[in-house]
Amino acid sequence: AVCDSCAKAEEHLKYGRPAEAKESALKALASGIDRDDPAWGRAAAVINKVSSLVISSDVPGPEKESCTIEKGDSLLKIALDAGTTVDMLMRINGFSTSSPVIHPGRTLKVFKGNWRVEISKKRFKLYLYDGENLFKAYNIGLGRQDKVPAGEYEIDVKKKDPAWSKDGRQV
């Protein structure tokens, strides 16, 4: 039954039915299969593709809501109100990074999610969840073994391409 759901998800994706593909893939994951099972990986791959489509195009998704720009609004204000980032607003709405101008009365798509991140040190994976549903799975690298203690953390600041140093050298 799990393989059937995976095959169905892959078929929906192949024929341009992303919502149905995601539904079938989530059904496969909800069946209780282990993350080390190849079927789990197949379902997660479909979810990754659908999520990438939804966040980088006008493909509809249940997470996308419409927002009408009002006088005095800015991309930053709209992003903060929606719990998202300016980069995400620009990507979803097809803004050029050189001229992200907004005008009152225009409708934007806003991606709202209930985000949670889970990291598996054993599998070298980062799982991004929207509520209880997997949104994307990423391969990650980790520092030296056991340098990062297990636990729950809250992200305070997101920095794009942060500067860091190692052994006194800027990397």
Side-chain angles (χ1 to χ4, degrees):
V2 172
C3 287
D4 291 343
S5 292
C6 290
K8 198 176 287 187
E10 292 163 342
E11 183 177 325
H12 284 310
L13 189 60
K14 179 180 176 182
Y15 291 107
R17 298 185 299 262
E20 292 87 347
K22 186 173 182 178
E23 184 179 323
S24 293
L26 287 171
K27 182 178 178 183
L29 296 184
S31 70
I33 55 176
D34 188 82
R35 288 183 182 171
D36 292 322
D37 188 311
W40 197 99
R42 286 174 61 194
V46 168
I47 290 169
N48 277 359
K49 287 177 184 171
V50 171
S51 295
S52 291
L53 275 172
V54 169
I55 64 172
S56 63
S57 72
D58 61 356
V59 169
E63 308 90 349
K64 286 183 177 177
E65 296 180 8
S66 293
C67 167
T68 302
I69 300 168
E70 302 197 9
K71 187 176 180 175
D73 278 349
S74 68
L75 286 175
L76 179 60
K77 180 184 180 306
I78 294 167
L80 289 172
D81 289 347
T84 189
T85 65
V86 171
D87 286 344
M88 180 66 78
L89 283 177
M90 290 175 60
R91 189 177 320 143
I92 290 175
N93 292 286
F95 282 109
S96 161
T97 55
S98 61
S99 63
V101 179
I102 61 172
H103 301 285
R106 179 176 176 189
T107 301
L108 297 178
K109 292 291 182 189
V110 177
F111 197 96
K112 291 189 174 186
N114 182 16
W115 304 114
R116 176 175 62 87
V117 172
E118 185 180 305
I119 294 174
S120 170
K121 291 168 63 171
K122 172 185 161 192
R123 293 180 182 92
F124 292 88
K125 292 277 191 182
L126 180 148
Y127 305 102
L128 176 62
Y129 288 90
D130 181 8
E132 294 303 312
N133 294 325
L134 180 68
F135 187 77
K136 283 197 86 159
Y138 299 91
N139 294 321
I140 60 169
L142 299 170
R144 290 190 180 133
Q145 209 63 12
D146 297 324
K147 287 285 184 180
V148 178
E152 288 191 25
Y153 299 90
E154 188 171 311
I155 299 169
D156 290 333
V157 177
K158 175 190 170 201
K159 288 189 179 179
K160 191 172 187 174
D161 301 323
W164 61 284
S165 61
K166 179 180 179 180
D167 301 328
R169 294 185 339 240
Q170 188 80 10
V171 178

